Amino acid sequence: MSDSNRILVHRFGDPGPWSAPESSTYANEAHLQEVLAASPHWIPGVPEGSLSVRELPTSAGPADVVIVTADGALTVVECKLESNPEKRRMVIGQVIDYAAAISGDGFDSFRTAWTTRGGPDLGAWIAPEGLEELRMRIDNATIGLCLAVDRIDRELQRLVEYLNRITHDAISVTALQLSYARHNDLELLVPSTFGGEIAAAKAAHGDGQSDRWTRQSFIAAVEDPDDQNILSQILNHLDENHPPDGGDLFWYGTRPRGGLFCRVHVEGPR
C-alpha cells in the first residue's frame, strides 16, 4: 500500500505518536467477499437494503458476490486483492464471463442458484414488477459489473472508463476500493469508489436524450413499405413459434443506436 493510502491508528487521549496498525491486509479474498457481502450498498448505484449471496454457481463457475435490489437490478462483483498475480484485464474478463453465464443460464436457473446459496425467496421479497424487471435484465444481459479490490490503480480506472463507453446505457461498470486494517480488536475499513458518476451519467443520457425503440417505432423507421411488411411478417412469425416461457422475445435498444435483438430456441434450449 502506498504512503498516500496508509492508515494510522492512535488511542484518544494518548500523548504518544500515531502508529501503523498490526495488519493492513485482508486474510484472503474470501475475507474481502465476506466484508462486501455484508454491506453491498457500498457499491455505486446499489441502495441500502439490497441483498447479496456469495459464490453463486453459474455455468462459468462461481461468481464471488451477486447483488439483487428491491426493484430488480442485478450486479455481479469480482473480488481481487492487489497481491493476486492475475492481471486486471483478466479479472475484468472474469466478471464479464460470470454475467454472461447468468444471462445465458436464464432466470429460472438464477433463481435456483440464488436460493441454493442461502438467498431468500425472490418471489416473496421482490414485488411482481421488480421480479419481472429482474427477469428482463437477465434475459437482456443488462447486468451491472463491479470489481472490488483493496486498491484501485490507474489501469483499473482506464478499464472501467472504457467499458462504460462501449456498453449499453443500462449497464453500469464500477470499481470499489475497500482499504482494510486491523489493530488489536479494532477493524478499520476505508471505502472509496470509481466509475459511479460515469455510469450514472450514461444511464441519464439513455433515459433522456435517446428514446428506447418499440416494435412500432422500429418498423416505422424502415423507409421501404415492402421491407416494413417483410419485417412485420418475420416478427409475427417468430412471436407465434417461440416457446411460451414467459419472457420477452424481442428488445430494441435505444436511439440513435440499438437495433432488434431476439432470443431464439434451437431444439428446445435457448
Side-chain angles (χ1 to χ4, degrees):
M1 185 176 294
S2 66
D3 289 343
S4 62
N5 289 324
R6 287 182 62 194
I7 297 174
L8 300 177
V9 296
H10 180 264
R11 185 175 295 278
F12 182 76
D14 189 337
W18 291 73
S19 60
E22 292 178 355
S23 173
S24 58
T25 60
Y26 291 90
N28 47 42
E29 285 174 358
H31 184 195
L32 174 57
Q33 284 183 28
E34 180 182 0
V35 170
L36 175 60
S39 301
H41 62 275
W42 285 330
I43 294 174
V46 174
E48 291 193 35
S50 299
L51 299 182
S52 67
V53 299
R54 297 171 56 194
E55 300 291 338
L56 181 109
T58 76
S59 57
D64 284 355
V65 180
V66 176
I67 302 164
V68 174
T69 69
D71 59 1
L74 178 63
T75 301
V76 176
V77 187
E78 180 71 6
C79 299
K80 281 291 178 287
L81 299 179
E82 186 178 17
S83 58
N84 192 307
E86 293 177 303
K87 295 291 186 182
R88 293 295 197 216
R89 61 183 63 91
M90 295 175 62
V91 176
I92 288 287
Q94 283 181 290
V95 73
I96 293 174
D97 196 18
Y98 295 140
I102 288 173
S103 180
D105 296 343
F107 174 77
D108 292 337
S109 178
F110 174 81
R111 196 167 178 175
T112 299
W114 174 270
T115 305
T116 299
R117 293 303 299 161
D121 179 13
L122 293 174
W125 181 68
I126 302 179
E129 58 271 20
L131 197 64
E132 185 56 34
E133 175 71 15
L134 177 61
R135 180 192 294 274
M136 184 192 72
R137 285 177 177 267
I138 291 175
D139 285 346
N140 297 358
T142 49
I143 299 171
L145 309 175
C146 180
L147 184 59
V149 296
D150 52 348
R151 189 177 75 85
I152 295 175
D153 57 20
R154 181 54 198 156
E155 182 181 6
L156 179 58
Q157 291 179 349
R158 176 174 55 82
L159 289 170
V160 168
E161 290 171 349
Y162 176 72
L163 287 172
N164 272 304
R165 286 203 305 269
I166 67 172
T167 53
H168 189 282
D169 291 338
I171 299 175
S172 66
V173 184
T174 59
L176 171 66
Q177 174 178 291
L178 290 174
S179 300
Y180 172 86
R182 179 182 55 79
H183 191 70
N184 297 326
D185 60 350
L186 179 66
E187 290 183 295
L188 306 172
L189 199 64
V190 183
S192 57
T193 63
F194 181 80
E197 297 84 357
I198 302 172
K202 179 175 70 168
H205 180 273
D207 289 339
Q209 297 182 25
S210 53
D211 297 332
R212 296 194 177 279
W213 292 101
T214 64
R215 174 178 293 208
Q216 292 74 21
S217 64
F218 192 85
I219 294 174
V222 178
E223 295 181 356
D224 188 286
D226 292 335
D227 289 340
Q228 283 188 4
N229 185 47
I230 292 172
L231 178 58
S232 296
Q233 291 181 35
I234 292 174
L235 297 180
N236 291 335
H237 176 75
L238 291 172
D239 272 337
E240 294 168 358
N241 289 279
H242 89 284
D245 60 0
D248 291 334
L249 183 61
F250 301 105
W251 64 101
Y252 300 87
T254 56
R255 298 174 178 172
R257 298 174 297 167
L260 172 63
F261 303 88
C262 175
R263 291 190 297 110
V264 296
H265 296 72
V266 180
E267 297 181 355
R270 183 169 58 189

